[in-house]
Amino acid sequence: MRNQQFAIRPTTAPEAVTELKRIHFLDNNNVILTNPNELLLDLFDRSWPEYPDQPAIEHHLKALMATPDLDGWTYLHSQTEVSIAAFYNLALQRLGFAVDLDFKLADPLAAMQALNLPVYHVTTTNLSASDLTQAWYLLLTTHTHDGQTFLDLLTTHGYFEPLMADPTTPKPLIFNGKAQAVFDTTKLIRDVVYVESSLDTDEDGQRDLLKAEILRPAETASGMTVPVLYTASPYNQGTNDEAGEAMTHNVNVPLEAKQPQTPDLADLTPAALPTAPDPRPVKATTTEATETFARESSYTLNDYFLARGFAVLYAAGIGTKDSDGVRTSGDPAETASTTAIIEWLTGDRVAFTDRTATTAITAYWSSKLVAMTGRSYLGTMATAAATTGVKGLKTIIGEAAISSWYDYYRDGGLVIAPGGFPGEDADVLAEETFSRQLQAGDYHRVQEKWQADLAAITHGQDRTTGNYNAFWAARNYLVNADKIKADLLLVHGLNDWNVKPRNVNNLWNAVRDLPITKKLVLHQGQHIYINAFRSIDFTDMVNLWLTHELLGIDNGAETLIPDVTIQDNAEPETWRAYPDWDAPTNQRLTYQLRHDELVSAKTAGPAEATSFNDQLPVAQFNHYTQAIDDWQRDLLGDKHNDMFRHRLLFKSAVLTDPLIIDGRVQVKLRVAVNQPVGMLSFQLVDYGTAKRLNVSPTNLRQPLDEGFHWREDQLREFQLADQPSPWKMITKGHRNLQNRHNSYQVDELLPNEFYDLTVTLQPTHYRLLAGHQLGLAIYATDFGMTVRGNQDLQYSIQLGNSSITVPWVVDPA
Amino acid sequence: MRNQQFAIRPTTAPEAVTELKRIHFLDNNNVILTNPNELLLDLFDRSWPEYPDQPAIEHHLKALMATPDLDGWTYLHSQTEVSIAAFYNLALQRLGFAVDLDFKLADPLAAMQALNLPVYHVTTTNLSASDLTQAWYLLLTTHTHDGQTFLDLLTTHGYFEPLMADPTTPKPLIFNGKAQAVFDTTKLIRDVVYVESSLDTDEDGQRDLLKAEILRPAETASGMTVPVLYTASPYNQGTNDEAGEAMTHNVNVPLEAKQPQTPDLADLTPAALPTAPDPRPVKATTTEATETFARESSYTLNDYFLARGFAVLYAAGIGTKDSDGVRTSGDPAETASTTAIIEWLTGDRVAFTDRTATTAITAYWSSKLVAMTGRSYLGTMATAAATTGVKGLKTIIGEAAISSWYDYYRDGGLVIAPGGFPGEDADVLAEETFSRQLQAGDYHRVQEKWQADLAAITHGQDRTTGNYNAFWAARNYLVNADKIKADLLLVHGLNDWNVKPRNVNNLWNAVRDLPITKKLVLHQGQHIYINAFRSIDFTDMVNLWLTHELLGIDNGAETLIPDVTIQDNAEPETWRAYPDWDAPTNQRLTYQLRHDELVSAKTAGPAEATSFNDQLPVAQFNHYTQAIDDWQRDLLGDKHNDMFRHRLLFKSAVLTDPLIIDGRVQVKLRVAVNQPVGMLSFQLVDYGTAKRLNVSPTNLRQPLDEGFHWREDQLREFQLADQPSPWKMITKGHRNLQNRHNSYQVDELLPNEFYDLTVTLQPTHYRLLAGHQLGLAIYATDFGMTVRGNQDLQYSIQLGNSSITVPWVVDPA
């Protein structure tokens, strides 16, 4: 086990005392204690909210060992001194570490170091009462065996329960720069309101009403204003899974030749949003909602903040259940419906108590500072909102978010499915999320308009060419990246083949020089949340971030949180701080392609040529369409397996030193194909037998309470696989051979004519270990992502004019 | 989707009205309504607790369709009649079924029938106001799309919130024979007490104190007494996973020859429990606990009942954290520590407020009626307690419980691991659950005694012979089955190879003629809970059962709940009622073994002989030890694979009619082995390509609230696999050839001498479809369960003297 905490705020001794008083670990009764043993006994006493009486304290202190021979109770009653070793022996046990298994009583500090837990350093053997205060403060900020701070653990045991109802408790209550769980979640107020947007996307003659579900602390009813975590989730009100599935496109179709064209990028600029009907007249105004809700579809990170004095708002947007409008899969109208909610929260827009829309309701409890949270489509809406520069949106925590929908459904003039979802497209997603359809009465009225809109999406997305066009340009948030005013905390999986890493990379590169604070966390997961991982204090980092951004506390978040945090792919439980990702200043390494080999550009020999044919025997083809894992295994496996002559494999020499790939690998090729149509796919590969991290994290144990008797999350961690694997794909890329310049210009493609082609693979960060080989697979049909026509396409490559360029940084390990 | 509800109580019309008044769906305001439309509008109004105001009701009723053309609001305002079709159209939508996807507005009754939802039948087209009342009553008892009653769904939306705080609400509140969630779970009282047992298992000179964690309704503080669901879970206070794992026995060891012996069964009778020190003096008595707890390790079924007015008690027993004593893996001392808790709940034993053990605390809030719940070891403790006949234990809901520990760790004179855990044994389990070890201070004091006890368990369990002995006799609850006074609700997975089905079968057969009520539910799962399955109303059945058993309500539970409920293995979502399982009256069918075949005894030809050798090439052997699934696949797969000549396969002719196997299949063999040591294993197999149920259930969707803003469970269901499979193992069995008479007598085994052997396989219930073949595999080493010595053992079988006998019942399908 290895712990990594980025969100512990260094605190001066006087500040620590002030903060310990604030959370009632120190008061006039114990601040006067000068004997360390008495002080520590007193602190233990306060740290067991379940045991108000002495006999239980005695029992539980006797259950801990302070030295190899003495239990905690006996030790603290046998002398006035407290040794550092005894303190950390007791501390480690309170943090949930097991004697002998996790640490030795003879040397707890060795374990503290190995586990990477912070230690309060003194030069003496024993701790003074003042030292003890400081060490206790640090201990409260330290992560337990189960990945939460000791203070958060005490919170789940009811430590803050007396403070919740105490009117003298300062709220929000800040400790070590982070908001604490002193809000009673059994008393949360749950409101439904209907925000009136400026659009009429369902063209029913009235502005769209947008349902919002709000949870806020009871304290807001009596004057407290709070910031808002806003999650825009189109899935939130339900989905039409079967209807969406039925619309899924057939991908077993041939790749079609395209007519050459050179469109003007300016022609792709989306039209302005249409003018809407007048707003509804407001007949009365209230602060009391008339509708509530039982159980929102929630995000556990939001739940954590509900206990800490933040309001949470969920809205599903246009075209969802109980709202008006239609789904558009990410166009400017959807963005406008997303920011409309924020405008209400900042007092700049009207919301109504119900759908008769006569009585307006104000967000009087809102401090007008908003953060957006969420993953995937949810994070995408946060990104979209940020690119409008909307007032009040102070920050977004965008996880696995799309920055341009072309980079979600297309690539290089090809239809490229999100990994795992062949045949998915913008129209399928629109249908899936059009949850107005879940209400037959509502659907009955909007059905005709919706079917027409859906047909327009199918037409606009243009699966025939796979080209970038006006439809996709309208869904490219990057063109407005310069409008971003919100600070960014971006999170993405380096193995996310659903929302591919290019999405976060393009955004990161677009904002690098903007005058905002931006942070990036790259993990080894696929398309997942990371807020309950044991090895990193992500939730604490977000707390530090939001306490700074939304509560205005000067807690050092901008500097404490690394600009870039990257989880290592080779060592479990290892996260490192970097100054940047894919920096323009990265060094570059070029390999020439040679027969089966990647060779240093300096030693490249004479040119050769090689070829492969994409067409497979029918039975093999059919099997791969059903068993994509088998295809992937054969693609990268032994050279002479069933994929022999259906792909090319190149491997570097065995590395003598680790190579840290950082950014975008480029492939340059001179290629010909035997027909006027063709595509190429690429996978960059780590070859070398090793135990690697599992694809998915492992659930670790008991539920993790987000507060006190509140909702729970599941602690997780990436673990090494039980068995070694021979290779791992690092990254991949695709290109239509008719899109050699870009994704909207269509180039001529003459059969058997050689063309130069440069393809930028999906960005990555990967530590390739010494003893391993860098590999490159060149192939055509990607069974998981491209169309699968099984066409007789013979691709030839002039190796003398082919190379890859690898950006790299110095090994931090 | 197919729904099966066994727990709907048939209710007379006047009773239905009374009950609807009780839960406030009828009152003086609406009972006078004679126009059906007005009554239904009123009922809808009351059914949306989130929407207290009319505009929201209007919106949500408009969102439902009553007929193919009219929404609910328009329909109910356009006429006074309510047609049956309109009622069920609206009802299906309220239950969460989707128009067009799940049912057609033109014919909702067809869907009600297909989904197997109950319908209120009238002969007219329209419902009178009185009909409507009855239909609404039935609807409230009907399962939604997501597997809970409509009333439970409304509960999760806050329907009962106003009743919770209302002092006039009758509590418990019964509707349709089941207790309803009118208890405020945010106000639960959480007590810790220490029950003093009559034993001193850690021999420290004082009786063992046993920690119990109690959750009880706030109402108990002001005079209400409630029944108790008691879960005895040795895992509850934590486990020593690593220490247990380190103790796991090596199973790659040879099977050893045993000295013949014929012990007297009487010698196996366990010694009486030792006399304990005197009880501690009680210096004071209180009703107030001084210790509490934050979050117990809970069982979701118990959580459901906490909202419904039952108290829940968790105790981990002797040798667990915060208790005294040592672990024994199921011996009479552990049983006594289990029943001690019940004795406190019934007023017959002392508990203390803390471990200084001076102030006694009474369970003044207990109605002295107790049910035990839990699965696996937890259910085992319930079974153990039931076999004492302890007063106050009214019923147990025993899931996947052990009835004799020999049947968990041993079989037929062999060490047989629980499936998935080779090398696990009673000593490993004792170490794993000795959670006193988690507290270094406590462990420090008890370590020496514990290590001695652990060594005694290792000795007693006797892995060398695998024989039944005094150690196992002390852990055989079946010998006391005749003492059972509690009613039994037993649940077991027919695919549970951890706690094998013999455990529940032996108990079922032992109590068949006892004067208690006993019910059995057999599901298609492995070692799992079934309280959140969509296709069966198991939770409702338990509610009906406990409302009868513990609240004394005459609700027909004894007759409504089938004596035996069995989930079908071939059809998903199908549960059937049976009068018995493995009944003595079952018919029997015998197949003779012939070359590769199972043939009808009548047509059996002349005798043959055949043989196989258990020894594998070393690489193959090593692979199977790592990849047990591969071994299983080869064992039952193509005859001429790597297992050829290492096992025998016999298949029946293709069945022309289904065969419903019910009970214990017997194999009779004449067998010889080339050494003075040997064992045989058997698998009964369903051969026939078909899509079968997945091994594990699939998680279905959103969390399922156990009350209102209370804890949540995950809805699940067994689904058919995506791909067909060629076979499925039905059941299996094992026998040491030196235990031909029973598991404690050791017989002589001369090399190459033929002996007759009868082996009873694990009991089952299996519908073998027409077109399939019954198969039998005979082999020796079971890579998942036996020792794996890879010995040169050649087994010969005289087929002329070999047969299997299959008990069967008539096909209910």
Side-chain angles (χ1 to χ4, degrees), chain B residues 538-557:
Chain B
F538 179 76
T539 298
D540 305 346
M541 289 163 73
V542 176
N543 191 332
L544 196 76
W545 179 258
L546 293 181
T547 297
H548 170 68
E549 292 278 343
L550 301 186
L551 298 175
I553 304 290
D554 178 18
N555 60 10

Side-chain angles (χ1 to χ4, degrees), chain A residues 50 63 291-292 294-295 441 709 712, chain B residues 50 56 63 292 294-295 441 709 712:
Chain A
E50 310 95 311
E291 291 184 31
T292 184
R295 176 63 161 105
H709 292 162
E712 294 168 344
Chain B
E50 310 94 311
T292 183
R295 177 62 161 104
H709 292 162
E712 295 168 342

Side-chain angles (χ1 to χ4, degrees), chain B residues 140-205:
Chain B
L140 290 171
T141 71
T142 301
H143 261 203
T144 68
H145 179 273
D146 294 328
Q148 57 185 168
T149 67
F150 184 46
L151 183 55
D152 274 347
L153 174 67
L154 300 185
T155 301
T156 68
H157 285 250
Y159 182 77
F160 282 128
E161 200 186 13
L163 280 73
M164 283 184 196
D166 181 347
T168 69
T169 302
K171 295 187 181 182
L173 185 151
I174 310 297
F175 182 80
N176 195 242
K178 295 174 283 290
Q180 301 302 319
V182 293
F183 292 82
D184 186 346
T185 49
T186 68
K187 298 196 162 59
L188 288 171
I189 298 166
R190 292 168 167 84
D191 292 337
V192 172
V193 304
Y194 296 88
V195 174
E196 189 187 49
S197 86
S198 297
L199 300 172
D200 174 21
T201 62
D202 55 17
E203 296 174 3
D204 67 349

Side-chain angles (χ1 to χ4, degrees), chain A residues 50-53 55-56 59-60 62-65 68-69 71 93 99 101 156-157 186 190 242 290-295 297 322 354-356 439-442 444-445 702-703 709 712, chain B residues 50-53 55-56 59-60 62-65 68-69 71 93 99 101 156-157 186 190 242 290-295 297 322 354-356 439-442 444-445 702-703 709 712:
Chain A
E50 310 95 311
Y51 315 133
D53 285 7
H59 166 68
H60 286 279
K62 276 185 177 165
L64 307 177
M65 292 300 278
D69 302 310
D71 66 57
Q93 290 167 82
V99 172
L101 196 65
T156 68
H157 284 250
T186 68
R190 291 169 168 84
E242 281 99 342
T290 58
E291 291 184 31
T292 184
F293 58 97
R295 176 63 161 105
S297 170
D322 296 333
D354 60 54
R355 292 189 49 98
T356 58
Q439 305 204 109
D442 189 29
H444 187 70
R445 295 182 287 271
Q702 284 292 334
H709 292 162
E712 294 168 344
Chain B
E50 310 94 311
Y51 315 134
D53 285 7
H59 166 67
H60 286 278
K62 278 186 177 165
L64 307 178
M65 292 299 277
D69 301 310
D71 66 58
Q93 290 166 81
V99 172
L101 195 66
T156 68
H157 285 250
T186 68
R190 292 168 167 84
E242 281 98 342
T290 57
E291 291 186 31
T292 183
F293 58 98
R295 177 62 161 104
S297 172
D322 296 333
D354 61 53
R355 293 187 48 96
T356 57
Q439 304 203 112
D442 189 28
H444 186 69
R445 294 183 287 271
Q702 284 293 334
H709 292 162
E712 295 168 342

Side-chain angles (χ1 to χ4, degrees), chain B residues 13 53 63 79 179 198 243 260 293 300 465 551 604 620 642 693 726 765:
Chain B
D53 285 7
Q79 55 177 63
S198 297
F293 58 98
T300 49
T465 72
L551 298 175
Q620 186 183 350
D642 288 347
L693 295 180
H765 179 99

Side-chain angles (χ1 to χ4, degrees), chain A residues 422-678:
Chain A
E424 231 270 84
D425 215 328
D427 55 354
V428 177
L429 183 65
E431 172 65 15
E432 249 179 39
T433 54
F434 186 65
S435 50
R436 291 184 67 178
Q437 194 160 337
L438 294 173
Q439 305 204 109
D442 189 29
Y443 186 58
H444 187 70
R445 295 182 287 271
V446 76
Q447 183 170 13
E448 202 173 328
K449 160 72 177 158
W450 171 241
Q451 290 301 331
D453 276 30
L454 197 55
I457 294 176
T458 303
H459 178 260
Q461 72 193 6
D462 180 20
R463 288 181 69 85
T464 319
T465 72
N467 288 338
Y468 187 82
N469 61 17
F471 177 90
W472 298 110
R475 288 158 178 82
N476 182 354
Y477 309 120
L478 293 166
V479 296
N480 294 314
D482 59 343
K483 300 202 183 78
I484 295 177
K485 295 195 183 70
D487 293 331
L488 305 180
L489 175 50
L490 306 178
V491 182
H492 215 101
L494 288 164
N495 292 300
D496 190 344
W497 300 106
N498 182 332
V499 177
K500 301 176 192 80
R502 176 169 298 148
N503 283 280
V504 71
N505 180 262
N506 280 341
L507 181 59
W508 183 250
N509 286 329
V511 301
R512 183 175 279 108
D513 298 325
L514 283 189
I516 56 170
T517 307
K518 52 257 170 187
K519 305 286 179 183
L520 175 64
V521 180
L522 297 174
H523 58 81
Q524 291 297 327
Q526 299 181 322
H527 196 57
I528 59 167
Y529 284 115
I530 61 160
N531 56 307
F533 272 69
R534 185 176 62 185
S535 58
I536 185 171
D537 61 342
F538 180 75
T539 297
D540 305 345
M541 289 163 73
V542 176
N543 191 333
L544 196 76
W545 179 257
L546 293 181
T547 298
H548 171 66
E549 293 278 342
L550 301 185
L551 298 175
I553 303 290
D554 178 18
N555 60 11
E558 322 89 294
T559 48
L560 284 172
I561 299 172
D563 286 342
V564 178
T565 308
I566 304 183
Q567 185 184 14
D568 195 85
N569 55 282
E571 262 179 68
E573 303 184 307
T574 304
W575 303 74
R576 293 200 181 83
Y578 292 83
D580 201 348
W581 177 45
D582 187 31
T585 52
N586 276 356
Q587 305 190 65
R588 277 168 169 74
L589 181 66
T590 300
Y591 289 100
Q592 292 294 137
L593 272 54
R594 284 295 176 267
H595 177 68
D596 293 355
E597 287 182 298
L598 297 175
V599 298
S600 161
K602 298 171 202 151
T603 65
E608 306 160 66
T610 188
S611 73
F612 70 93
N613 192 304
D614 193 42
Q615 197 167 39
L616 300 175
V618 172
Q620 186 183 352
F621 172 81
N622 288 340
H623 174 68
Y624 286 159
T625 63
Q626 299 296 319
I628 293 173
D629 288 350
D630 287 0
W631 162 76
Q632 175 71 28
R633 188 196 59 211
D634 290 349
L635 180 78
L636 299 187
D638 294 340
K639 190 185 166 191
H640 290 280
N641 66 17
D642 288 346
M643 284 295 286
F644 185 53
R645 294 194 196 287
H646 298 301
R647 52 81 167 98
L648 302 174
L649 273 189
F650 305 88
K651 293 184 191 176
S652 75
V654 170
L655 269 64
T656 51
D657 293 300
L659 171 64
I660 317 303
I661 304 169
D662 182 87
R664 288 163 288 168
V665 170
Q666 272 200 338
V667 183
K668 292 186 186 184
L669 291 181
R670 185 163 292 173
V671 60
V673 59
N674 62 339
Q675 292 191 39
V677 61

